[in-house]
Amino acid sequence: MADRLTQLQDAVDQLADQFIATFYYVERHHELETFGPNDKIPDLKPDQPKEVDSFAPEVFQAGQLELARDLITKEQEIEYLISSLPGLDNSERDQENSIKELEEELKVAEAQRLEAVREMDEVLQRLDQLMKNIRRQ
């Protein structure tokens, strides 16, 4: 599973894609209407492609509603991801204490690593001695 920042970036990218799809839907499937007395809807020639593929008003509104719900759902997902990022609910002092605790854990782990390296060196020296003794015999 990806980390929170990667999930957040993916969700923002998906939201941008949804915005584009929504704009395309509205731009491509609206009803042609005039807004002023001088506006005209041009007549298309038979071989000319349609600029708009109009849907029935009920179908168009249902599509808009579904796209709006999808946008809201994605926005809520982004809000959730943002709220789950570390540090938003922690004060600076809490974060400093957490860092100090992690530093202490790191010191303990480093001490354990050094002890393991020392033990490994001892075992290697004993193995080396055994190998020398076997060669002499």
Side-chain angles (χ1 to χ4, degrees), residues 11 14-15 18-19 22 64-80:
Q14 291 167 358
L15 181 64
Q18 284 178 290
F19 275 127
T22 301
Q64 283 180 313
L65 183 61
E66 182 180 346
L67 290 167
R69 285 185 180 143
D70 290 345
L71 288 170
I72 291 169
T73 301
K74 186 56 69 177
E75 184 274 334
Q76 289 172 340
E77 178 185 338
I78 290 170
E79 287 292 325
Y80 170 76

mmCIF file of all heavy atoms in Angstrom, residues 11 14-15 18-19 22 64-80:
data_model
loop_
_atom_site.group_PDB
_atom_site.id
_atom_site.type_symbol
_atom_site.label_atom_id
_atom_site.label_comp_id
_atom_site.label_asym_id
_atom_site.label_seq_id
_atom_site.Cartn_x
_atom_site.Cartn_y
_atom_site.Cartn_z
ATOM 1 N N ALA A 11 -5.114 10.886 -5.535
ATOM 2 C CA ALA A 11 -6.494 11.361 -5.421
ATOM 3 C C ALA A 11 -6.651 12.731 -6.070
ATOM 4 O O ALA A 11 -7.660 12.989 -6.746
ATOM 5 C CB ALA A 11 -6.918 11.408 -3.951
ATOM 6 N N GLN A 14 -6.705 12.198 -9.754
ATOM 7 C CA GLN A 14 -7.999 11.654 -10.158
ATOM 8 C C GLN A 14 -9.073 12.735 -10.150
ATOM 9 O O GLN A 14 -9.935 12.767 -11.032
ATOM 10 C CB GLN A 14 -8.396 10.497 -9.236
ATOM 11 C CG GLN A 14 -7.535 9.276 -9.411
ATOM 12 C CD GLN A 14 -7.724 8.258 -8.284
ATOM 13 O OE1 GLN A 14 -8.485 8.481 -7.349
ATOM 14 N NE2 GLN A 14 -7.020 7.142 -8.376
ATOM 15 N N LEU A 15 -9.026 13.638 -9.157
ATOM 16 C CA LEU A 15 -9.990 14.734 -9.112
ATOM 17 C C LEU A 15 -9.841 15.635 -10.339
ATOM 18 O O LEU A 15 -10.840 16.046 -10.941
ATOM 19 C CB LEU A 15 -9.814 15.547 -7.826
ATOM 20 C CG LEU A 15 -10.780 16.710 -7.627
ATOM 21 C CD1 LEU A 15 -12.212 16.197 -7.490
ATOM 22 C CD2 LEU A 15 -10.389 17.527 -6.412
ATOM 23 N N GLN A 18 -11.423 13.929 -13.170
ATOM 24 C CA GLN A 18 -12.878 14.002 -13.062
ATOM 25 C C GLN A 18 -13.394 15.384 -13.477
ATOM 26 O O GLN A 18 -14.443 15.486 -14.115
ATOM 27 C CB GLN A 18 -13.326 13.686 -11.631
ATOM 28 C CG GLN A 18 -13.261 12.203 -11.304
ATOM 29 C CD GLN A 18 -13.661 11.932 -9.868
ATOM 30 O OE1 GLN A 18 -12.947 12.280 -8.948
ATOM 31 N NE2 GLN A 18 -14.810 11.308 -9.701
ATOM 32 N N PHE A 19 -12.663 16.445 -13.116
ATOM 33 C CA PHE A 19 -13.051 17.785 -13.552
ATOM 34 C C PHE A 19 -13.062 17.869 -15.073
ATOM 35 O O PHE A 19 -14.002 18.394 -15.677
ATOM 36 C CB PHE A 19 -12.110 18.846 -12.985
ATOM 37 C CG PHE A 19 -12.464 19.326 -11.605
ATOM 38 C CD1 PHE A 19 -11.519 19.305 -10.607
ATOM 39 C CD2 PHE A 19 -13.727 19.810 -11.306
ATOM 40 C CE1 PHE A 19 -11.820 19.744 -9.330
ATOM 41 C CE2 PHE A 19 -14.048 20.263 -10.040
ATOM 42 C CZ PHE A 19 -13.095 20.228 -9.048
ATOM 43 N N THR A 22 -15.975 15.996 -16.450
ATOM 44 C CA THR A 22 -17.216 16.720 -16.196
ATOM 45 C C THR A 22 -17.380 17.879 -17.182
ATOM 46 O O THR A 22 -18.458 18.074 -17.757
ATOM 47 C CB THR A 22 -17.240 17.235 -14.744
ATOM 48 O OG1 THR A 22 -17.122 16.122 -13.864
ATOM 49 C CG2 THR A 22 -18.518 17.978 -14.441
ATOM 50 N N GLN A 64 -25.265 15.071 -14.909
ATOM 51 C CA GLN A 64 -24.636 16.133 -14.124
ATOM 52 C C GLN A 64 -24.656 15.795 -12.637
ATOM 53 O O GLN A 64 -23.658 15.993 -11.941
ATOM 54 C CB GLN A 64 -25.365 17.462 -14.345
ATOM 55 C CG GLN A 64 -25.053 18.142 -15.639
ATOM 56 C CD GLN A 64 -25.819 19.452 -15.748
ATOM 57 O OE1 GLN A 64 -27.011 19.517 -15.483
ATOM 58 N NE2 GLN A 64 -25.114 20.497 -16.143
ATOM 59 N N LEU A 65 -25.780 15.284 -12.161
ATOM 60 C CA LEU A 65 -25.907 14.930 -10.746
ATOM 61 C C LEU A 65 -24.915 13.830 -10.366
ATOM 62 O O LEU A 65 -24.237 13.911 -9.330
ATOM 63 C CB LEU A 65 -27.341 14.483 -10.440
ATOM 64 C CG LEU A 65 -27.656 14.140 -8.999
ATOM 65 C CD1 LEU A 65 -27.441 15.357 -8.098
ATOM 66 C CD2 LEU A 65 -29.075 13.617 -8.880
ATOM 67 N N GLU A 66 -24.803 12.826 -11.213
ATOM 68 C CA GLU A 66 -23.853 11.739 -10.934
ATOM 69 C C GLU A 66 -22.416 12.251 -10.929
ATOM 70 O O GLU A 66 -21.623 11.907 -10.037
ATOM 71 C CB GLU A 66 -24.005 10.630 -11.970
ATOM 72 C CG GLU A 66 -23.088 9.459 -11.724
ATOM 73 C CD GLU A 66 -23.255 8.361 -12.760
ATOM 74 O OE1 GLU A 66 -24.246 8.366 -13.514
ATOM 75 O OE2 GLU A 66 -22.374 7.495 -12.801
ATOM 76 N N LEU A 67 -22.062 13.087 -11.885
ATOM 77 C CA LEU A 67 -20.711 13.644 -11.933
ATOM 78 C C LEU A 67 -20.444 14.538 -10.722
ATOM 79 O O LEU A 67 -19.346 14.496 -10.141
ATOM 80 C CB LEU A 67 -20.512 14.429 -13.233
ATOM 81 C CG LEU A 67 -20.440 13.578 -14.507
ATOM 82 C CD1 LEU A 67 -20.556 14.451 -15.739
ATOM 83 C CD2 LEU A 67 -19.167 12.754 -14.529
ATOM 84 N N ALA A 68 -21.428 15.324 -10.301
ATOM 85 C CA ALA A 68 -21.270 16.173 -9.114
ATOM 86 C C ALA A 68 -21.054 15.324 -7.870
ATOM 87 O O ALA A 68 -20.202 15.628 -7.034
ATOM 88 C CB ALA A 68 -22.489 17.074 -8.945
ATOM 89 N N ARG A 69 -21.806 14.244 -7.746
ATOM 90 C CA ARG A 69 -21.622 13.341 -6.592
ATOM 91 C C ARG A 69 -20.231 12.721 -6.598
ATOM 92 O O ARG A 69 -19.601 12.587 -5.552
ATOM 93 C CB ARG A 69 -22.697 12.252 -6.602
ATOM 94 C CG ARG A 69 -24.044 12.744 -6.173
ATOM 95 C CD ARG A 69 -25.043 11.609 -6.085
ATOM 96 N NE ARG A 69 -26.329 12.114 -5.665
ATOM 97 C CZ ARG A 69 -27.482 11.671 -6.104
ATOM 98 N NH1 ARG A 69 -27.528 10.672 -6.978
ATOM 99 N NH2 ARG A 69 -28.612 12.178 -5.678
ATOM 100 N N ASP A 70 -19.761 12.334 -7.775
ATOM 101 C CA ASP A 70 -18.414 11.759 -7.877
ATOM 102 C C ASP A 70 -17.353 12.775 -7.454
ATOM 103 O O ASP A 70 -16.388 12.425 -6.769
ATOM 104 C CB ASP A 70 -18.135 11.279 -9.304
ATOM 105 C CG ASP A 70 -18.953 10.054 -9.686
ATOM 106 O OD1 ASP A 70 -19.512 9.400 -8.780
ATOM 107 O OD2 ASP A 70 -19.042 9.760 -10.895
ATOM 108 N N LEU A 71 -17.537 14.035 -7.874
ATOM 109 C CA LEU A 71 -16.584 15.081 -7.482
ATOM 110 C C LEU A 71 -16.600 15.290 -5.971
ATOM 111 O O LEU A 71 -15.541 15.424 -5.341
ATOM 112 C CB LEU A 71 -16.905 16.395 -8.199
ATOM 113 C CG LEU A 71 -16.601 16.444 -9.693
ATOM 114 C CD1 LEU A 71 -17.187 17.712 -10.308
ATOM 115 C CD2 LEU A 71 -15.115 16.348 -9.954
ATOM 116 N N ILE A 72 -17.777 15.305 -5.391
ATOM 117 C CA ILE A 72 -17.889 15.492 -3.939
ATOM 118 C C ILE A 72 -17.269 14.322 -3.195
ATOM 119 O O ILE A 72 -16.536 14.511 -2.207
ATOM 120 C CB ILE A 72 -19.364 15.694 -3.538
ATOM 121 C CG1 ILE A 72 -19.851 17.043 -4.057
ATOM 122 C CG2 ILE A 72 -19.541 15.600 -2.028
ATOM 123 C CD1 ILE A 72 -21.350 17.244 -3.964
ATOM 124 N N THR A 73 -17.512 13.116 -3.668
ATOM 125 C CA THR A 73 -16.932 11.928 -3.025
ATOM 126 C C THR A 73 -15.406 11.978 -3.073
ATOM 127 O O THR A 73 -14.732 11.707 -2.080
ATOM 128 C CB THR A 73 -17.443 10.645 -3.717
ATOM 129 O OG1 THR A 73 -18.865 10.614 -3.629
ATOM 130 C CG2 THR A 73 -16.849 9.409 -3.074
ATOM 131 N N LYS A 74 -14.857 12.347 -4.221
ATOM 132 C CA LYS A 74 -13.400 12.428 -4.358
ATOM 133 C C LYS A 74 -12.842 13.528 -3.465
ATOM 134 O O LYS A 74 -11.799 13.360 -2.830
ATOM 135 C CB LYS A 74 -13.013 12.664 -5.819
ATOM 136 C CG LYS A 74 -11.525 12.634 -6.093
ATOM 137 C CD LYS A 74 -10.856 11.337 -5.652
ATOM 138 C CE LYS A 74 -11.282 10.172 -6.495
ATOM 139 N NZ LYS A 74 -10.563 8.928 -6.109
ATOM 140 N N GLU A 75 -13.540 14.655 -3.382
ATOM 141 C CA GLU A 75 -13.095 15.747 -2.517
ATOM 142 C C GLU A 75 -13.098 15.304 -1.055
ATOM 143 O O GLU A 75 -12.180 15.619 -0.298
ATOM 144 C CB GLU A 75 -14.003 16.970 -2.714
ATOM 145 C CG GLU A 75 -13.579 18.190 -1.937
ATOM 146 C CD GLU A 75 -14.117 18.218 -0.523
ATOM 147 O OE1 GLU A 75 -15.169 17.617 -0.260
ATOM 148 O OE2 GLU A 75 -13.467 18.842 0.327
ATOM 149 N N GLN A 76 -14.100 14.538 -0.644
ATOM 150 C CA GLN A 76 -14.160 14.034 0.735
ATOM 151 C C GLN A 76 -13.025 13.047 0.991
ATOM 152 O O GLN A 76 -12.455 13.015 2.076
ATOM 153 C CB GLN A 76 -15.515 13.392 1.014
ATOM 154 C CG GLN A 76 -16.634 14.407 1.097
ATOM 155 C CD GLN A 76 -18.009 13.774 1.189
ATOM 156 O OE1 GLN A 76 -18.196 12.612 0.832
ATOM 157 N NE2 GLN A 76 -18.974 14.561 1.642
ATOM 158 N N GLU A 77 -12.697 12.235 -0.003
ATOM 159 C CA GLU A 77 -11.562 11.315 0.132
ATOM 160 C C GLU A 77 -10.262 12.105 0.338
ATOM 161 O O GLU A 77 -9.431 11.748 1.184
ATOM 162 C CB GLU A 77 -11.451 10.440 -1.113
ATOM 163 C CG GLU A 77 -10.279 9.482 -1.088
ATOM 164 C CD GLU A 77 -10.119 8.716 -2.392
ATOM 165 O OE1 GLU A 77 -11.091 8.590 -3.152
ATOM 166 O OE2 GLU A 77 -8.998 8.249 -2.645
ATOM 167 N N ILE A 78 -10.112 13.185 -0.415
ATOM 168 C CA ILE A 78 -8.918 14.025 -0.272
ATOM 169 C C ILE A 78 -8.880 14.654 1.115
ATOM 170 O O ILE A 78 -7.831 14.682 1.765
ATOM 171 C CB ILE A 78 -8.876 15.084 -1.391
ATOM 172 C CG1 ILE A 78 -8.580 14.413 -2.733
ATOM 173 C CG2 ILE A 78 -7.842 16.166 -1.090
ATOM 174 C CD1 ILE A 78 -8.745 15.316 -3.927
ATOM 175 N N GLU A 79 -10.010 15.141 1.592
ATOM 176 C CA GLU A 79 -10.075 15.724 2.939
ATOM 177 C C GLU A 79 -9.688 14.688 3.994
ATOM 178 O O GLU A 79 -8.961 14.995 4.944
ATOM 179 C CB GLU A 79 -11.482 16.257 3.233
ATOM 180 C CG GLU A 79 -11.822 17.517 2.498
ATOM 181 C CD GLU A 79 -11.005 18.707 2.972
ATOM 182 O OE1 GLU A 79 -10.695 18.790 4.164
ATOM 183 O OE2 GLU A 79 -10.677 19.549 2.121
ATOM 184 N N TYR A 80 -10.155 13.454 3.826
ATOM 185 C CA TYR A 80 -9.811 12.399 4.772
ATOM 186 C C TYR A 80 -8.306 12.124 4.748
ATOM 187 O O TYR A 80 -7.671 11.995 5.803
ATOM 188 C CB TYR A 80 -10.581 11.112 4.466
ATOM 189 C CG TYR A 80 -10.076 9.946 5.268
ATOM 190 C CD1 TYR A 80 -10.386 9.816 6.617
ATOM 191 C CD2 TYR A 80 -9.244 8.986 4.696
ATOM 192 C CE1 TYR A 80 -9.904 8.771 7.365
ATOM 193 C CE2 TYR A 80 -8.754 7.936 5.442
ATOM 194 C CZ TYR A 80 -9.087 7.827 6.780
ATOM 195 O OH TYR A 80 -8.584 6.791 7.512
#
